[in-house]
Amino acid sequence: QVQLQESGPGLVKPSETLSLTCTVSGYSITTGYYWGWIRQYPGKGLDWIGSLSHSGSTHYNPSLKSRVSVVLDTSKNQILLNLNSVTAADTAVYFCVAGVAVADFEHWGQGILVTVSS
Amino acid sequence: DIQMTQSPSSLSASVGDRVTITCRASQSISLYLNWYQQKPGKAPKLLISAASSLQSGVPSRFSGGGSGTEFTLTISSLQPEDFATYYCQQSYSNVLFTFGPGTKVDIK
């Protein structure tokens, strides 16, 4: 059973970089699946951030593409998210997700609230 | 971008009621439509993929239908644990995967 757990700072200053880690248990990230991130704004809307395959091919939300990177740390079985130049509009709950297909989000972490504020 | 809308935005229903939620896409997405259930403080849960394919472990009272631009999620007999917010999501685009705004189902 795939289990995902997000971790990282809950508060980030404007213009800085938001960095989150998703630790995967019960499955090796090099075996299969697409791995990615989705965020949910305080008003409840869901926003896909980006995904990458176990082989490393990436897919990013075009509106975030210039600011975002998602990478695999195979040595630690983790998925890393970096979002730079953040503003208050990036305040959200960030979820780590996984699925057999790039756009089918079968597994979710519990989510982590990240607030962008000085 | 493919825009997703849902109706109604919220509804009140009683245990045992039949409930139908509609999701519309701004262009045809064939059968590339997923449904999720989210309870307060929890992550969304994938219920249905490819418009009508029930995920393992999801009760059979949930069903999905439709194709093209209009889709439905039906709960045949609402149970207490079904009170939640439901989201549709298109998986047709190979550029951007978008969600509907959600439909909140609460107790009448």
Side-chain angles (χ1 to χ4, degrees):
Chain A
Q1 174 74 346
V2 180
Q3 293 187 310
L4 310 172
Q5 177 69 59
E6 304 89 348
S7 59
L11 181 64
V12 180
K13 289 183 168 54
S15 80
E16 295 189 345
T17 296
L18 182 161
S19 296
L20 296 176
T21 299
C22 173
T23 300
V24 180
S25 56
Y27 192 87
S28 169
I29 62 175
T30 59
T31 299
Y33 278 134
Y34 283 84
W35 308 92
W37 293 88
I38 287 171
R39 63 185 179 182
Q40 186 166 35
Y41 300 112
K44 303 300 184 185
L46 290 159
D47 190 31
W48 170 72
I49 297 171
S51 301
L52 79 165
S53 71
H54 65 284
S55 59
S57 65
T58 55
H59 307 260
Y60 293 130
N61 184 322
S63 70
L64 298 172
K65 193 170 185 176
S66 63
R67 299 196 291 132
V68 69
S69 69
V70 180
V71 298
L72 302 181
D73 184 338
T74 56
S75 67
K76 296 180 181 178
N77 217 41
Q78 293 176 334
I79 300 103
L80 310 178
L81 169 69
N82 284 303
L83 180 66
N84 57 40
S85 305
V86 296
T87 70
D90 295 308
T91 293
V93 175
Y94 286 74
F95 293 100
C96 179
V97 294
V100 172
V102 65
D104 293 346
F105 310 116
E106 300 158 40
H107 304 284
W108 295 65
Q110 65 184 24
I112 182 169
L113 174 62
V114 179
T115 300
V116 178
S117 175
S118 55
Chain B
D1 298 352
I2 299 173
Q3 309 299 321
M4 308 301 293
T5 59
Q6 290 181 233
S7 60
S9 57
S10 64
L11 66 90
S12 295
S14 301
V15 172
D17 283 354
R18 181 182 181 88
V19 168
T20 297
I21 298 167
T22 300
C23 174
R24 291 183 175 86
S26 60
Q27 66 181 72
S28 176
I29 57 170
S30 185
L31 297 174
Y32 291 89
L33 192 283
N34 299 330
W35 288 100
Y36 298 83
Q37 175 194 65
Q38 186 177 32
K39 297 181 180 179
K42 301 293 187 181
K45 172 187 175 182
L46 180 62
L47 297 178
I48 289 171
S49 61
S52 62
S53 179
L54 212 62
Q55 293 296 293
S56 174
V58 175
S60 59
R61 63 181 179 273
F62 289 92
S63 64
S67 65
T69 61
E70 188 161 323
F71 301 85
T72 56
L73 172 68
T74 298
I75 308 171
S76 60
S77 177
L78 198 65
Q79 297 302 300
E81 59 268 31
D82 301 336
F83 292 97
T85 300
Y86 293 86
Y87 296 92
C88 62
Q89 172 241 327
Q90 62 83 13
S91 56
Y92 177 84
S93 169
N94 60 2
V95 176
L96 178 62
F97 312 120
T98 47
F99 291 83
T103 295
K104 185 177 181 180
V105 177
D106 61 21
I107 302 171
K108 182 183 286 185

